[in-house]
Amino acid sequence: MARAETHRVVIVGSGFGGLFAAKFLRRAPVTVTLVDRTNHHLFQPLLYQVATGILSEGEIAPATRDVLHKHENVAVEMVEVTGFDLDARQVALVRPDGTDGRLPYDSLIVAAGVGQSYFGHDEFSEWAPGMKTLADALAQRARIFTAFEMAELEEDPEVRRAWLTFVVVGGGPTGVEMAGQIAELSRRALSGKFRRFDSTDVRVLLFEGGKEILASFGDELSERGARELQETGCEIHASSIVQHVDADGVEVKGPDGSVQRYAAKTKIWAAGVAASPLAKLLADASGAGCDRAGRIEVLPDCTLPGHPEVFAIGDMMALDDLPGVAEVAMQTGIHAARTIKARLDGNTEPTPFKYRDLGSMAAVSRRRAIVSFHGLRVSGFLGWLMWLFVHLAFMTGYKNRFTAVIGWGFAFLGQGRGERAISYEVGDASAAPVVGGSRREG
């Protein structure tokens, strides 16, 4: 009976926002149910390192119930949320076996994150997939390393060059980090490993629609980052808009307005984001609006109009033009949890969310990074040390930190890439990713 009277909190999403909210409620007089369609907490900023063979998936995606196993008031459920009944205060869901269910709540925190955006050209996704989930990163890893294997098998020099050309679309931190690590992979880890081509002949093309890459860091750091990225062998094409993508390459409109075709079998999209479809479901249920990226518009305290018991946090919310970064998700998660605790203590006055900007950073190449923090501009090796410290601090679990340091040691101090296994077999068409023109069929 006492359990039924306990305040019930449902958290949708096990990313940074959902996880930090659950942790903050550890000693609160509430029962917490955290639901997600996966069973892991994903350290999304390091997905590119899984895709390029530096880290294993387990190092950046520990099981959520392992992370929260000491939080006795928190239950973890792997389900897919399909809707919200805000009047009945219930979340509609589907279990892994396909059966439907409903989850009642007194307070609801929705932290569903974002997906990839192709700016109205969703057809590009077939040949230039993005990288927002663990499955995406593993598929990208298979595509990248399969491209090298196909180059080894190819007789035609022109086709081989296409297999050895990698296109990355988007010059933000994700695109820059991915491009830099593909270049490092080809010039260091794979050097001398193939017999029929020189891996240092790999071309990595980075296309950015704006005037410069890493524009959010300011002109000075952007220029430093561009120089360091070019030193790895990457080719930067700014003011360049990708207009067409197919199995064999891309067509790009350059700064002068001309359209040029680039032959490339492997394309990676890192150019834009769109809110989770749950943002639209929540907006429809509450009457709230959505911005152009599909993010739900919230009140200053991260709640929905007319529903103070419902919080939308992190990347999926639109508030004060806040950036879609992990720090916003963490801080809004803590804010929502703190608000719930305050209400249970009798303080019902809305408290606006205040964001503390902790700066930005991007690892441009091996032992080189740029950092912007409260007016401080750092690049090069010192920036990389700062990047290393911050990412270790935010990783979950001592074991993951320890194994990540080992992986980084092999990759950044030596030449090793320990996670290069391709998980499908030739002839297994159902498991093979789309590579070049089609799935490889034996």
Side-chain angles (χ1 to χ4, degrees):
M1 192 68 172
R3 183 178 179 85
E5 295 173 354
T6 303
H7 191 89
R8 300 163 299 180
V9 179
V10 171
I11 301 174
V12 179
S14 62
F16 287 111
L19 190 71
F20 273 65
K23 285 185 172 183
F24 197 83
L25 291 170
R26 179 176 183 176
R27 292 181 174 84
V30 300
T31 59
V32 179
T33 304
L34 188 150
V35 301
D36 196 283
R37 61 194 302 180
T38 73
N39 75 333
H40 55 263
H41 162 67
L42 181 62
F43 196 109
Q44 199 174 74
L46 293 179
L47 277 175
Y48 75 96
Q49 295 198 4
V50 172
T52 54
I54 298 172
L55 298 178
S56 72
E57 57 269 34
E59 289 164 340
I60 71 163
T64 307
R65 61 181 67 255
D66 283 356
V67 178
L68 297 172
H69 76 280
K70 292 184 179 179
H71 296 62
E72 295 182 357
N73 66 333
V74 179
V76 177
E77 297 184 4
M78 190 176 80
V79 298
E80 181 174 8
V81 172
T82 56
F84 303 95
D85 186 338
L86 301 188
D87 293 329
R89 295 194 177 185
Q90 293 182 338
V91 175
L93 54 87
V94 174
R95 303 181 182 92
D97 63 358
T99 57
D100 296 329
R102 285 184 172 266
L103 193 60
Y105 65 84
D106 297 305
S107 292
L108 174 64
I109 301 174
V110 186
V114 294
Q116 204 70 59
S117 172
Y118 289 87
F119 308 110
H121 291 280
D122 290 348
E123 69 275 11
F124 292 176
S125 64
E126 180 177 7
W127 307 115
M131 196 171 57
K132 292 297 180 183
T133 68
L134 189 60
D136 292 340
L138 292 173
Q140 294 286 16
R141 187 174 77 186
R143 295 173 72 245
I144 290 168
F145 287 106
T146 297
F148 287 100
E149 298 297 335
M150 286 299 299
E152 181 80 344
L153 298 171
E154 184 56 57
E155 301 285 349
D156 187 320
E158 290 297 321
V159 178
R160 179 183 292 140
R161 273 192 286 273
W163 281 113
L164 294 176
T165 300
F166 296 83
V167 164
V168 180
V169 183
T174 299
V176 166
E177 290 172 332
M178 174 61 87
Q181 284 309 314
I182 294 175
E184 295 279 5
L185 171 70
S186 64
R187 285 156 177 75
R188 295 183 60 82
L190 299 183
S191 178
K193 302 295 195 305
F194 295 91
R195 301 293 176 259
R196 305 186 68 180
F197 67 89
D198 186 344
S199 65
T200 61
D201 291 336
V202 164
R203 293 183 72 192
V204 181
L205 311 178
L206 178 64
F207 294 104
E208 162 58 32
K211 295 181 180 179
E212 58 188 4
I213 65 170
L214 301 169
S216 62
F217 288 81
D219 291 344
E220 182 182 349
L221 280 183
S222 173
E223 291 176 5
R224 292 186 199 174
R227 286 197 302 270
E228 292 178 350
L229 188 63
Q230 288 170 328
E231 288 177 3
T232 70
C234 289
E235 302 174 29
I236 299 174
H237 299 262
S239 301
S240 299
I241 307 296
V242 173
Q243 296 193 320
H244 178 74
V245 182
D246 57 39
D248 299 314
V250 296
E251 293 178 6
V252 182
K253 183 179 180 180
D256 61 356
S258 64
V259 177
Q260 183 174 349
R261 182 170 178 82
Y262 297 84
K265 295 288 189 178
T266 307
K267 287 80 62 178
I268 299 168
W269 194 271
V273 296
S276 162
L278 292 185
K280 178 67 162 57
L281 291 178
L282 197 58
D284 290 344
S286 65
C290 289
D291 68 6
R292 293 180 62 184
R295 299 177 301 176
I296 187 169
E297 297 171 352
V298 298
L299 297 177
D301 63 350
C302 300
T303 63
L304 301 188
H307 293 276
E309 77 284 358
V310 181
F311 299 83
I313 64 172
D315 297 351
M316 67 173 288
M317 73 168 190
L319 177 65
D320 298 335
D321 293 322
L322 291 172
V325 294
E327 288 82 2
V328 171
M330 296 173 192
Q331 292 180 36
T332 52
I334 292 173
H335 173 81
R338 182 182 285 118
T339 301
I340 292 171
K341 290 177 69 175
R343 289 174 180 173
L344 293 175
D345 290 336
N347 183 6
T348 59
E349 189 69 23
T351 302
F353 170 69
K354 294 182 180 180
Y355 175 54
R356 292 190 306 116
D357 188 356
L358 300 180
S360 304
M361 54 182 56
V364 178
S365 62
R366 176 175 172 265
R367 292 182 287 182
R368 293 290 184 271
I370 59 173
V371 177
S372 174
F373 176 72
H374 290 293
L376 180 67
R377 303 287 185 266
V378 181
S379 62
F381 183 67
L382 178 58
W384 182 76
L385 289 178
M386 296 174 66
W387 175 94
L388 192 72
F389 174 80
V390 169
H391 283 72
L392 276 177
F394 282 115
M395 289 188 80
T396 302
Y398 292 107
K399 179 182 177 182
N400 286 348
R401 293 187 183 106
F402 177 74
T403 55
V405 168
I406 294 176
W408 288 338
F410 281 113
F412 300 142
L413 302 179
Q415 298 184 7
R417 298 286 171 112
E419 302 295 331
R420 285 163 44 193
I422 298 172
S423 59
Y424 73 91
E425 298 179 3
V426 176
D428 185 3
S430 64
V434 175
V435 178
S438 65
R439 285 185 173 87
R440 300 297 300 173
E441 299 185 8

